[in-house]
Amino acid sequence: MTAMLDPTLPAEYEDLRKAVEAFAREEVAPVIGDYYERHAFPYPIVAAMGRMGLFGLPFPSEYGGMDGDYFALCIALEELARVDSSVAITLEAGVSLGSMPVYRFGTDEQKEYWLTDLCKGERLAAFGLTEPGGGSDAGAVNTRAGNVGDSWVINGSKSFITNSGTDITSLITVMAVTARDDDGRAELSCVLVPSGTPGLTVEPGYSKVGWCASDTHGLVFDNCRVPQENLLGERGRGYAQFLRTLDEGRIAIAALATGLAQGCVDECVRYVKERSAFGHKIGEYQAIQFKIADMEARAHSSRLAWRHAAGLLLAGKPFKKEAAIAKLAASEAAMASAREAAQIFGGYGFMNEFPVGRFYRDAKILEIGEGTSEVQRLLIARSLNLV
């Protein structure tokens, strides 16, 4: 008997895909270039995404969510990134890095208090992991959270934290050292820090190569005091919590990267039908056709990879290797396709007014954020038991 895999999306996912596709095309595409050029956060777009329920997609209705799942979130991310990655990463970070740790590891009281506004998109949450001296060594945490009386007192700094400094940011989950054993090994825990807490300083936004309409800041904690009940999950389980968070987030980034790769195809197909050179539409030339064919193949393969990883996640099966494969394949596909799209557009591809110029600037971070390509290769190699 031959097993057949049906690649067609079930109706509820396809309806979501179409709705987000239309939103991205009609509401995001006409205005996002201006936000990008001004390095301005697109509050009206984020509010509209909230009204659509996108920030609540994978959460239950008891917290204001849509009773969906992580696959639905990734569908939305891919469609948004076909038009703009700043908007897509705002959703990705707000859900998979911001709200999801509270949902996965929080107490009933924490979930009830924080998730309702987060699911509506009326507030945003951030995850404070990376530090100035950390990078790929995500476990090299120097930020400290000391247990003083009935409080945690936090000191240290974080870097490159998405959604940490908007006017609607309400919460930052902070990874910190809460103790050390006799051998100096760190006990890592996560602590919830509300925005505006005394001792928390949000540094000026970064001047970034890409994702220029998203919010990214460094954070400084100087005797920042929060109640003991702001501990997220079990003390000492912070490392395991962020590993789970990053594994899921890699699937989401793979979906986002797939959207960028597909957006390159969309833009190039339109352009080559309009642009003429040497008496012919440039789409008639085989050199151009082959470039776009390769771009389409990369987007298709990336889509299969992230959907496979997401399917394993939803089925409750191990997915770490598949998430790493999807993230590696999709991010490198996005970078390669953005480079080729800029080449097809020629001089116009070097202009920010054209989407492919933004795509080119946005693609590189996909090979770095939420685990570099080198880290993904390391994870894949380890899974093969080579030594």
Side-chain angles (χ1 to χ4, degrees), residues 237-365:
R237 294 289 296 168
Y239 193 80
Q241 291 172 10
F242 95 75
L243 286 179
R244 170 68 186 221
T245 298
L246 291 184
D247 284 341
E248 293 182 356
R250 284 166 183 151
I251 303 174
I253 291 295
L256 190 158
T258 299
L260 191 153
Q262 191 64 60
C264 290
V265 176
D266 298 341
E267 293 298 322
C268 286
V269 167
R270 283 194 288 268
Y271 183 71
V272 302
K273 293 178 180 179
E274 301 169 354
R275 175 83 161 102
S276 295
F278 306 105
H280 296 274
K281 300 294 184 183
I282 64 172
E284 298 178 30
Y285 295 113
Q286 194 173 70
I288 299 296
Q289 294 172 359
F290 281 8
K291 285 181 183 293
I292 298 177
D294 286 342
M295 292 161 61
E296 176 71 5
R298 283 190 289 264
H300 178 76
S301 300
S302 299
R303 184 173 300 111
L304 294 178
W306 82 249
R307 288 186 179 182
H308 179 220
L312 293 173
L313 167 62
L314 295 191
K317 297 180 179 179
F319 65 93
K320 179 184 286 287
K321 179 183 74 172
E322 289 76 12
I325 290 172
K327 203 272 184 182
L328 175 65
S331 62
E332 296 197 342
M335 189 71 235
S337 293
R339 182 178 60 248
E340 293 289 31
Q343 191 74 12
I344 289 171
F345 271 68
Y348 294 112
F350 200 60
M351 301 295 122
N352 285 327
E353 64 186 278
F354 287 84
V356 295
R358 298 201 306 271
F359 291 168
Y360 189 56
R361 293 172 63 180
D362 292 337
K364 183 58 194 173
I365 188 59

Side-chain angles (χ1 to χ4, degrees), residues 190-233:
C190 290
V191 181
L192 303 176
V193 179
S195 296
T197 300
L200 166 60
T201 299
V202 179
E203 297 184 321
Y206 293 100
S207 176
K208 297 176 291 187
V209 171
W211 287 357
C212 294
S214 71
D215 178 83
T216 318
H217 298 264
L219 304 172
V220 176
F221 301 90
D222 183 7
N223 290 322
C224 179
R225 185 182 292 263
V226 298
Q228 278 195 17
E229 56 265 30
N230 282 29
L231 179 71
L232 180 64

Side-chain angles (χ1 to χ4, degrees), residues 130-198:
T130 304
E131 298 193 357
S136 292
D137 188 2
V141 175
N142 290 309
T143 297
R144 305 176 312 282
N147 198 337
V148 180
D150 60 354
S151 302
W152 293 104
V153 178
I154 305 170
N155 287 280
S157 60
K158 300 292 181 178
S159 300
F160 314 130
I161 309 304
T162 304
N163 291 344
S164 59
T166 73
D167 293 344
I168 57 174
T169 299
S170 63
L171 176 69
I172 301 163
T173 300
V174 179
M175 176 76 72
V177 177
T178 47
R180 291 190 183 274
D181 64 18
D182 293 339
D183 295 325
R185 289 188 294 263
E187 172 193 85
L188 297 176
S189 305
C190 290
V191 181
L192 303 176
V193 179
S195 296
T197 300

